[in-house]
Amino acid sequence: MKIAFDAKRLYHNNTGLGHYSRTLVSSLAEYFPKNEYILCTPKMSTKYSIHHPSIQNMTPHHGAEKLFPSLWRIKWVSDMLEKQKTDIFHGLSNEIPFGIETKMKTVVTIHDLIFERFPQYFNPIDVLIYRKKFKYACKNAHSIIAVSQQTKADIQNIYGIHPNKIHTCYQSCNPLFEKEVDTTTKEYIKKKYSLPDRFFLYVGSITERKNLLLLCQALKIREDVNQIPLVVIGNGTSYKEKVKQFLKKNNMEQRVIFLSEDPIMSRYSGLLDSSDFPAIYQQALCMIYPSFFEGFGIPLLEAMWSKIPIICSNTSSLPEVVGDASLFINPLEKEDLADALLRITKEKSLREQCIQKGILYAQKFSRLECAKSVHKIYEYLHQNT
């Protein structure tokens, strides 16, 4: 089969959509190398790349295509792929080019419909744009991949798509997280980022939905937990300032370390491309994820592979992602989270239990299993052309 992908975010996005794209495509190339894979992107990137004999790149060639790369991506690329007799196009990030479904079989991955559930967190114009793109993709793609049962239910209930068209295919994560980092490397990373000896870890954008303020409030309640600091990997704007104002008001500025905002960090590609993340994760006392709502929650999978315990919300897809390997909390109750922090800090047997359950549960999301589930959809579409 000749399979093409919308690879813009694969090459240029350093958060969830980019990680999903890179992990899936590299896994497919590794486990199903007989296919031809075409990565379609308006421009190449020096930050991210995937090298494999079965992979080739496609970019705008000349004239208007180069002058209007966005138009090329959402429209003209389909003509180029049709000329190459492409069998399947897979939109990896919630959208497909307009009209491409008339030229070849199409698949779209929908990661979440958070903008539909919580439009107050988004610019109203963005909501309208997202809705148009997502609805078009859901209605016109031949198959839809949902990254969780939660997302499948949302696609069905919000857009009225028949459940038979929607397939839940879980995502995996960077295989670097599966490997234990040696002591020397851990010490190097610890010094490189000035990490404390013991710390809680938060990974994700600093937005209201992710609920970092609740975590800071819980830390305030639990000042007796040996003053263990919190390391935050992620960035934000107005909500981040709200969090920092709370920390300043409560004399907690030294208790929370915003790793991403230190100017010196811009010199370290390992933080930008996540290659240093496993060594950071594996030194954390616990991953804390108090989000109100997620389509999946990739840092939780990374934490399970890293063999650290997890505290996370009992909402949306999160119980689906961690199974019984987490200490669950109500994301509206800071006292609930404060109690969980105390337990995970004091109860060694609880920490070990969470770690062992996480190791077992993470096998469900191996790169092979995730690639197989997606490839099965390709095969079905190809056989029913």
Side-chain angles (χ1 to χ4, degrees):
M1 288 183 288
K2 184 176 288 189
I3 304 161
F5 302 91
D6 176 3
K8 176 184 176 181
R9 288 179 175 83
L10 183 152
Y11 281 114
H12 300 283
N13 184 286
N14 64 353
T15 57
L17 295 180
H19 295 323
Y20 169 81
S21 301
R22 289 185 289 275
T23 302
L24 177 59
V25 171
S26 61
S27 300
L28 287 166
E30 178 178 348
Y31 296 117
F32 302 96
K34 291 183 179 180
N35 297 322
E36 294 180 57
Y37 301 103
I38 305 172
L39 304 184
C40 307
T41 179
K43 62 178 180 179
M44 298 302 296
S45 167
T46 57
K47 185 187 296 185
Y48 301 110
S49 60
I50 300 177
H51 300 288
H52 192 276
S54 65
I55 292 177
Q56 61 177 292
N57 294 295
M58 178 181 286
T59 57
H61 284 175
H62 49 69
E65 293 177 358
K66 288 189 173 183
L67 285 174
F68 305 101
S70 295
L71 190 57
W72 174 84
R73 176 173 171 258
I74 65 174
K75 180 66 176 176
W76 296 333
V77 67
S78 59
D79 294 331
M80 294 175 66
L81 292 172
E82 185 181 27
K83 289 177 182 177
Q84 291 200 18
K85 298 185 176 359
T86 303
D87 297 301
I88 294 168
F89 180 89
H90 186 168
L92 295 168
S93 50
N94 310 303
E95 57 185 308
I96 58 174
F98 292 111
I100 195 169
E101 69 278 1
T102 65
K103 304 175 187 297
M104 64 200 70
K105 295 294 185 178
T106 52
V107 180
V108 65
T109 296
I110 301 294
H111 295 266
D112 60 69
L113 294 183
I114 291 173
F115 70 93
E116 296 281 18
R117 281 180 163 269
F118 303 98
Q120 67 271 26
Y121 296 155
F122 296 83
N123 183 306
I125 299 299
D126 289 339
V127 171
L128 294 176
I129 293 172
Y130 297 156
R131 182 174 294 140
K132 182 177 181 179
K133 288 182 176 181
F134 284 45
K135 286 184 75 171
Y136 180 88
C138 288
K139 289 183 181 298
N140 291 281
H142 294 93
S143 289
I144 301 168
I145 290 174
V147 298
S148 65
Q149 290 289 352
Q150 173 66 63
T151 296
K152 178 176 180 175
D154 283 350
I155 296 168
Q156 182 181 344
N157 296 331
I158 296 174
Y159 289 157
I161 304 298
H162 196 284
N164 290 349
K165 186 178 178 179
I166 313 167
H167 310 273
T168 301
C169 298
Y170 292 118
Q171 56 184 312
S172 189
C173 66
N174 192 318
L176 289 175
F177 287 95
E178 301 175 25
K179 302 172 185 176
E180 186 169 354
V181 180
D182 62 81
T183 303
T184 301
T185 302
K186 285 181 182 177
E187 278 299 316
Y188 169 72
I189 295 297
K190 181 180 178 181
K191 291 179 181 177
K192 180 177 179 180
Y193 295 108
S194 301
L195 296 173
D197 293 333
R198 301 179 80 204
F199 59 92
F200 297 120
L201 181 63
Y202 168 100
V203 177
S205 55
I206 305 175
T207 61
E208 191 169 354
R209 176 175 57 85
K210 299 284 190 178
N211 210 15
L212 177 58
L213 181 58
L214 182 94
L215 175 50
C216 295
Q217 291 169 338
L219 288 171
K220 173 62 178 174
I221 293 172
R222 282 293 167 215
E223 290 182 308
D224 56 330
V225 186
N226 300 325
Q227 288 292 306
I228 297 172
L230 170 67
V231 171
V232 174
I233 301 179
N235 241 317
T237 52
S238 58
Y239 180 75
K240 180 180 178 181
E241 288 307 309
K242 184 178 179 180
V243 172
K244 295 181 81 170
Q245 287 171 16
F246 172 85
L247 296 174
K248 184 176 182 180
K249 181 179 178 181
N250 291 278
N251 298 314
M252 295 175 61
E253 291 170 292
Q254 301 305 312
R255 188 108 185 256
V256 179
I257 302 165
F258 292 94
L259 208 60
S260 304
E261 73 176 12
D262 191 326
I264 198 172
M265 296 309 165
S266 62
R267 303 208 308 257
Y268 297 144
S269 61
L271 193 62
L272 297 175
D273 65 14
S274 306
S275 59
D276 287 346
F277 277 25
I280 297 173
Y281 274 60
Q282 290 177 31
Q283 297 181 72
L285 179 66
C286 179
M287 162 69 75
I288 306 169
Y289 209 74
S291 178
F292 288 117
F293 193 94
E294 294 292 327
F296 188 81
I298 196 69
L300 298 176
L301 180 55
E302 294 168 347
M304 288 192 290
W305 281 120
S306 299
K307 301 179 182 178
I308 61 172
I310 294 167
I311 298 172
C312 77
S313 302
N314 58 3
T315 61
S316 61
S317 65
L318 302 184
E320 187 181 345
V321 173
V322 298
D324 61 351
S326 173
L327 202 55
F328 289 108
I329 57 103
N330 182 338
L332 297 172
E333 298 290 341
K334 57 181 180 291
E335 291 83 4
D336 199 9
L337 180 49
D339 290 342
L341 291 173
L342 181 63
R343 291 192 63 197
I344 211 73
T345 305
K346 299 294 186 181
E347 300 178 28
K348 184 178 179 180
S349 61
L350 175 63
R351 291 200 305 274
E352 187 58 32
Q353 186 180 57
C354 288
I355 291 169
Q356 293 304 319
K357 287 181 176 180
I359 293 170
L360 291 174
Y361 198 74
Q363 308 308 312
K364 183 177 181 179
F365 307 98
S366 71
R367 292 172 66 241
L368 174 58
E369 289 304 313
C370 295
K372 282 168 60 177
S373 66
V374 171
H375 195 265
K376 187 177 180 180
I377 295 171
Y378 298 159
E379 289 179 324
Y380 175 81
L381 291 176
H382 187 56
Q383 291 167 4
N384 290 274
T385 299

